[in-house]
Amino acid sequence: MESPKTYQLKAAEMDKLFADLEEKYVIYAPVRIPAGGRYAGDDSVMYRQVHTYGEIEFEERSTYAMKEVITPITQTLFYFTEDEFRESKMEETRDMLVFGRACDINAMKIQDQIFLENGDVEDVFYQRRREKVKFALMECQEQFDGCFCCSVGANVTDNYSIAVSFGREEAYVEVKEEAFGSYFEGCQETNYEITFPAENELKVDFPVIDSLDMVNLLKCHPMWEEFEARCIACGACTVACSTCTCFETTDIVYSQNGKVGERRRTCSSCMVDGFDTVAGGACFRKTISEKYRYKILHKVYGHDARFHTGPMCVGCGRCSARCPQLIGYPETLNKLSKAIEDIRKGETNHAE
C-alpha cells in the first residue's frame, strides 16, 4: 500500500472483522480475568485467544507481557522413549495476530535478539512461533502508572500490520500492511491518526554505563545493600517483565523406568534461589542483593554490551506493579545513575 489508510468501524463491524480474520489467524489480546488477581476480588488482565472485539481489555495494562504468546510459561520441547525422541508440534496451523502496545512490540525485538541472534544457532522452538506472528498495535490513549517508555525510546514503533484506537462502541483501524487491505473493503475511511505517547508523567534518568571498569566499581557500591532487606527474591518482577527470557528445562517422566516422558521449558528467573546453581553445587550469587544487582546491571549494561542496541528495557512498568515489596525499578535506575555520578566525581577528585 502506498500509504496507510484508516477506517472507522462500529463494534459489530469489528466482530465481523475478527470472524473474517480467524479464517487465517489465531487472535490474541489482553483479556480481563475476574477475581484472577493477586488479592481476593482483584482482577487480572492476561493474554488469551479472543473471538470478538468486546473481549479485549484496552483500558488497563496487561498484568503480564505479550511475550507469553510466543514464549509460553511452560512449553514441551520434545517427547522421549528409551531409544528415540520426537520433537513437539505446533498446536495451530494458522498464523497469529497479536494485539500489543508499542512497548510490547518493541520488547519483541529484544526477545528476537536473545533467541535468534545470540550466537550461531537459532532457537527453533521460538523461531517456529515467531515467524507466524503479525502485530496489531494498540493505541495508548492514556498513561498507566509506572510507565516510562519515552525514557527508553520504546514509545514508538512501525512494526505492526494494523493499528487500533479502541472505543466501546466503535474503533479506528489503521491498515499498514497491504495483505490486510482486503478485509476493509467497503468500510468507512476516516482521517483519524493513530498516535504514540510523546511524554510520560514518570521520567527516568536511565543510566549509561560505558565500560566494564565502571561495572566493576558499581558492583562494590553501597546502593545494593538496602535490597538485601527489602527484596524477597520472589522473581515476580522478571516473570512480568516484557524482555526477560530466563528459563529452566525439566524432564517429566511418565513411568518408573525414567526413560519415557517429555522435556519441558519453563519460565524462570535469575532472582530465585537455585537458578544460578551449577554442577557440583557452586552458586555464583548467594545473597539477594547480589541477585538484584545482577538483574539490574544486565538490564542496563550486559545486554547492550552484547547486542549494542540499548538497554534491555521498554519502560512498561510491569515489574514495579508486580513487586510485593513495592520496589520501584525506575527509582532503582535513578539511584544507579546517582551512583555512577558519585563514582565519576570520586575519580575526578582523586585525579585532582
Side-chain angles (χ1 to χ4, degrees), residues 15 35 154 172 190 197 257 291 297 304 312 315 323:
D15 286 344
Y172 296 96
T190 176
N257 68 11
K291 297 176 192 294
L297 291 180
D304 184 46
M312 189 180 169
C323 179

Side-chain angles (χ1 to χ4, degrees), residues 167-301:
R168 289 295 173 190
E169 303 299 328
E170 61 185 14
Y172 296 96
V173 184
E174 176 191 300
V175 182
K176 183 170 176 287
E177 185 177 334
E178 186 174 359
F180 285 80
S182 61
Y183 292 102
F184 296 87
E185 291 180 359
C187 294
Q188 179 183 344
E189 287 193 41
T190 176
N191 293 325
Y192 185 89
E193 293 186 9
I194 301 292
T195 60
F196 296 95
E199 185 179 16
N200 299 133
E201 294 179 7
L202 174 62
K203 296 176 177 59
V204 176
D205 181 15
F206 208 94
V208 176
I209 303 175
D210 53 12
S211 70
L212 187 58
D213 289 338
M214 176 60 75
V215 172
N216 290 328
L217 291 170
L218 284 168
K219 287 181 179 179
C220 303
H221 196 278
M223 69 163 284
W224 308 109
E225 295 173 3
E226 69 169 282
F227 300 105
E228 188 66 31
R230 292 186 64 194
C231 179
I232 59 174
C234 66
C237 56
T238 51
V239 173
C241 175
S242 299
T243 63
C244 280
T245 58
C246 288
F247 63 84
E248 297 179 356
T249 55
T250 306
D251 287 346
I252 308 298
V253 177
Y254 296 157
S255 62
Q256 292 182 349
N257 68 11
K259 297 180 179 180
V260 178
E262 63 185 76
R263 176 161 293 180
R264 294 178 183 172
R265 173 158 68 188
T266 304
C267 174
S268 189
S269 169
C270 62
M271 290 299 302
V272 301
D273 287 339
F275 182 80
D276 54 1
T277 300
V278 298
C283 178
F284 294 107
R285 295 174 288 276
K286 296 182 175 63
T287 67
I288 292 177
S289 58
E290 288 174 334
K291 297 176 192 294
Y292 190 77
R293 181 190 68 195
Y294 170 82
K295 183 194 79 167
I296 297 297
L297 291 180
H298 182 70
K299 294 282 188 187
V300 175
Y301 174 78

Side-chain angles (χ1 to χ4, degrees), residues 5-113:
K5 293 182 180 180
T6 304
Y7 300 89
Q8 182 177 353
L9 281 74
K10 296 186 182 301
E13 293 175 306
M14 289 294 291
D15 286 344
K16 182 182 182 305
L17 171 64
F18 277 36
D20 293 340
L21 287 168
E22 282 194 291
E23 294 182 9
K24 180 175 174 56
Y25 299 96
V26 185
I27 305 173
Y28 290 95
V31 173
R32 179 171 294 278
I33 310 296
R38 176 184 294 163
Y39 304 109
D42 283 357
D43 296 345
S44 63
V45 180
M46 310 287 287
Y47 268 83
R48 295 288 187 268
Q49 183 178 348
V50 299
H51 306 283
T52 62
Y53 175 70
E55 294 176 75
I56 300 178
E57 174 53 59
F58 57 85
E59 293 182 339
E60 290 188 26
R61 172 181 54 207
S62 63
T63 307
Y64 294 102
M66 185 177 70
K67 68 179 183 182
E68 291 187 9
V69 177
I70 294 98
T71 52
I73 293 292
T74 298
Q75 181 181 21
T76 297
L77 304 182
F78 58 83
Y79 302 89
F80 59 85
T81 63
E82 293 186 2
D83 56 3
E84 64 180 1
F85 72 92
R86 176 176 61 82
E87 186 177 291
S88 63
K89 297 179 180 179
M90 288 281 287
E91 65 276 12
E92 266 284 355
T93 58
R94 291 175 292 173
D95 290 342
M96 294 180 278
L97 181 64
V98 186
F99 281 80
R101 303 183 187 279
C103 62
D104 290 319
I105 295 174
N106 282 316
M108 295 315 305
K109 293 191 294 186
I110 295 174
Q111 298 275 321
D112 290 348
Q113 288 172 334

